[in-house]
Amino acid sequence: MRCVWLGILLGLLIPSLAPAGDATVPTRIRVVSEVWARYTEPDGSGLGWDLVRAVFGPAGVRVEAYSVPYTRAVGLVQRGEMDAWVGSYADEVRSGVLYPRWAYDADQICALGLAEQPEVRLDNLGSFHLAWLRGYAYERYLPNLKHYRVIQRRDGILSMLTLRHADLFIDARPELEDVLVHARDPSAFRVSCLTTLPLYLGFADTAKGKALAHLFDRRMEELVASGELRPIFERWHYPYPFQEGAHATTP
């Protein structure tokens, strides 16, 4: 009889001995992003939101998506008011955030300028006057820059270039293509692609943020190995950024 009771007692105790890492995984993640067309739309649609849900949803973590301007998104995460933001470059923010090992996507970084200008390449970029949006810090990732300024909004970019207030506007290719849609004569402009930068979720430097970043890396390892993310990229007509057999960090 004593053995029977011992067996029952052990059966009751075993579930409480689950690995601490699983027990401490949060049940929700608050993710914030700038609004990018077809990527992080305010209604929760887009490639970026679908990728975040694919990572966390099957692990039992409910994704709550919020839309704010980029610099505010970073500040909310640094203060611990949000758990992560979408679309950070590697080590873009140096304090108050945690970066996972795995990138989840990659940006093709390009320059938009007048078609009549000389050819734009990464090795001659320093000879042009550049502009980009506040908060994007491209000076850390593009070489030998000498003349650049930061602007607040994408409104008026085509006029800025036409009036030669800047030679080139730097951004990810999809955003530049959205700008060109509004050009009276798109052939007057040229998009020159320069480099590719991996994209990360930036997590809050909190116990919850650390647990979520750890889960993110584990889930990305599984999803890339299984190929489950590829149909999501295909659905939104974005290039698949991961090499076959990828193991770590950058796509």
Side-chain angles (χ1 to χ4, degrees), residues 100-104 198-200 217 220-221 242 246-251:
R101 291 183 301 106
W102 275 91
Y104 71 90
L199 288 170
Y200 295 83
D217 277 331
M220 284 296 299
E221 188 88 30
F242 301 103
H247 293 291
T249 62
T250 60

Side-chain angles (χ1 to χ4, degrees), residues 43-228:
D43 64 0
S45 65
L47 173 65
W49 291 139
D50 280 357
L51 291 173
V52 172
R53 285 189 290 264
V55 170
F56 290 104
V61 181
R62 186 177 76 254
V63 176
E64 297 179 2
Y66 301 89
S67 300
V68 300
Y70 188 80
T71 52
R72 187 179 175 209
V74 175
L76 288 169
V77 173
Q78 286 180 304
R79 296 191 297 273
E81 297 174 33
M82 291 287 167
D83 301 314
W85 86 91
V86 174
S88 179
Y89 299 130
D91 297 323
E92 177 184 321
V93 179
R94 307 290 175 83
S95 64
V97 302
L98 302 168
Y99 282 98
R101 291 183 301 106
W102 275 91
Y104 71 90
D105 194 5
D107 258 352
Q108 191 175 20
I109 306 303
C110 303
L112 174 65
L114 297 176
E116 64 191 39
Q117 289 185 143
E119 180 184 358
V120 180
R121 304 182 309 274
L122 199 60
D123 61 2
N124 70 353
L125 197 58
S127 63
F128 294 92
H129 287 78
L130 313 176
W132 56 74
L133 284 183
R134 178 173 175 261
Y136 281 48
Y138 286 124
E139 71 274 15
R140 297 183 187 172
Y141 307 98
L142 299 173
N144 306 316
L145 302 189
K146 298 175 183 176
H147 314 287
Y148 60 87
R149 65 190 183 97
V150 173
I151 62 176
Q152 299 298 319
R153 299 184 304 275
R154 290 187 178 89
D155 299 345
I157 289 170
L158 296 176
S159 297
M160 176 186 71
L161 296 172
T162 302
L163 296 172
R164 300 185 183 276
H165 295 162
D167 298 321
L168 301 168
F169 178 72
I170 308 295
D171 210 338
R173 181 167 194 144
E175 279 63 59
L176 296 183
E177 290 173 349
D178 287 341
V179 169
L180 273 178
V181 167
H182 302 287
R184 183 176 303 172
D185 178 13
S187 67
F189 299 90
R190 180 174 60 214
V191 174
S192 304
C193 289
L194 304 168
T195 190
T196 299
L197 296 178
L199 288 170
Y200 295 83
L201 290 184
F203 290 89
D205 190 4
T206 62
K208 182 181 180 183
K210 185 175 183 179
L212 289 167
H214 178 77
L215 174 63
F216 176 84
D217 277 331
R218 179 167 63 81
R219 287 286 297 144
M220 284 296 299
E221 188 88 30
E222 297 167 356
L223 290 167
V224 172
S226 68
E228 291 177 66

